[in-house]
Amino acid sequence: MSAGLVPGLGAVVLAGGRSSRMGRPKAWLPFGDEVLLQRVVRRLATVAAPLVVVRAPGQALPPLPADVALADDPVEGRGPLQGIAVGLAALAGKAEAAFVSSTDAPFVDPALVRFLADLRGSTHDVVVPRAGGHYHPLAAVYGVSVVSEINALLAEDRLRPFFLFERVRTLVVPEDRLREAPGVSLSGDEILALRNLNTPEDWRAALDVAGLPMPRDPA
């Protein structure tokens, strides 16, 4: 397992989203014999270490491996940049860069993580996918050092990740190049690693793609 780790690469998983459209906490959504946060952590642990899960104030999380660090986001409702800052700060001195994921990314793909990390090299601060007409800041690699720039943006109430991309050395990776990543998982033309789950319908569709049954009591 450790042979697959990318040197100097940690991971951050943001678990504190409000899950309003899902109607229940995404971190606890059953997905096979585990829940969604456990699945995301397990998949990322094959490629990145250490791993930090950022949670909202007072948020309960499912059991996680002992070597997964927990970091508390002191402010709720300020979006992903706030959580990214907390996670990167927790990795200071422990990793050079981090792959950042959300909890609701069941197909987070170690092959894509390696591909993006390799592209970052020493010449970019951030490597972010762009597919379907959108940036994917929660499937991107960030140098730990950009936390100072994020904190400056937060102080200015400039909360969109794009503002960070404008301020640091950012490589935007287009969809066609993402599909060329060795071993990347596709479903038709879709890059599965970039799929996230916002509604119960999204969850059911993801279970179907994964070949997993819907829980008997999905409530």
Side-chain angles (χ1 to χ4, degrees):
M1 189 75 75
S2 61
L5 296 176
V6 175
L9 184 72
V12 173
V13 181
L14 305 188
R18 291 180 173 174
S19 303
S20 54
R21 285 192 284 166
M22 186 64 71
R24 58 188 293 184
K26 293 181 184 179
W28 292 85
L29 281 178
F31 216 92
D33 59 0
E34 57 195 344
V35 296
L36 197 51
L37 179 59
Q38 292 169 337
R39 176 182 171 93
V40 171
V41 165
R42 173 176 58 79
R43 291 170 72 91
L44 283 176
T46 66
V47 70
L51 198 150
V52 177
V53 172
V54 180
R55 60 186 175 185
Q59 182 182 9
L61 295 179
L64 296 169
D67 58 351
V68 173
L70 301 180
D72 293 313
D73 188 340
V75 185
E76 191 172 11
R78 296 202 78 202
L81 266 189
Q82 174 77 38
I84 293 170
V86 171
L88 293 181
L91 288 173
K94 301 173 184 176
E96 297 172 6
F99 181 84
V100 175
S101 177
S102 55
T103 301
D104 62 346
F107 304 110
V108 63
D109 192 339
L112 188 64
V113 174
R114 290 189 186 95
F115 181 70
L116 297 177
D118 286 346
L119 289 177
R120 192 184 80 90
S122 60
T123 56
H124 299 99
D125 299 309
V126 174
V127 180
V128 59
R130 182 171 170 83
H134 304 285
Y135 294 96
H136 292 267
L138 300 185
V141 173
Y142 297 78
V144 170
S145 63
V146 304
V147 69
S148 59
E149 294 288 349
I150 297 177
N151 286 333
L153 289 168
L154 294 171
E156 298 167 7
D157 257 355
R158 302 182 71 209
L159 305 182
R160 291 177 55 208
F162 181 74
F163 295 140
L164 175 67
F165 305 156
E166 291 182 315
R167 289 177 74 135
V168 301
R169 300 173 302 169
T170 299
L171 176 65
V172 179
V173 187
E175 197 162 355
D176 56 350
R177 195 170 183 194
L178 294 168
R179 290 199 189 96
E180 297 170 0
V184 69
S185 296
L186 302 174
S187 178
D189 288 335
E190 181 190 10
I191 301 162
L192 278 174
L194 302 182
R195 181 188 289 203
N196 55 14
L197 312 184
N198 293 308
T199 66
E201 292 74 24
D202 292 343
W203 174 37
R204 285 192 284 270
L207 287 168
D208 188 55
V209 168
L212 295 170
M214 190 72 183
R216 289 183 181 179
D217 180 12

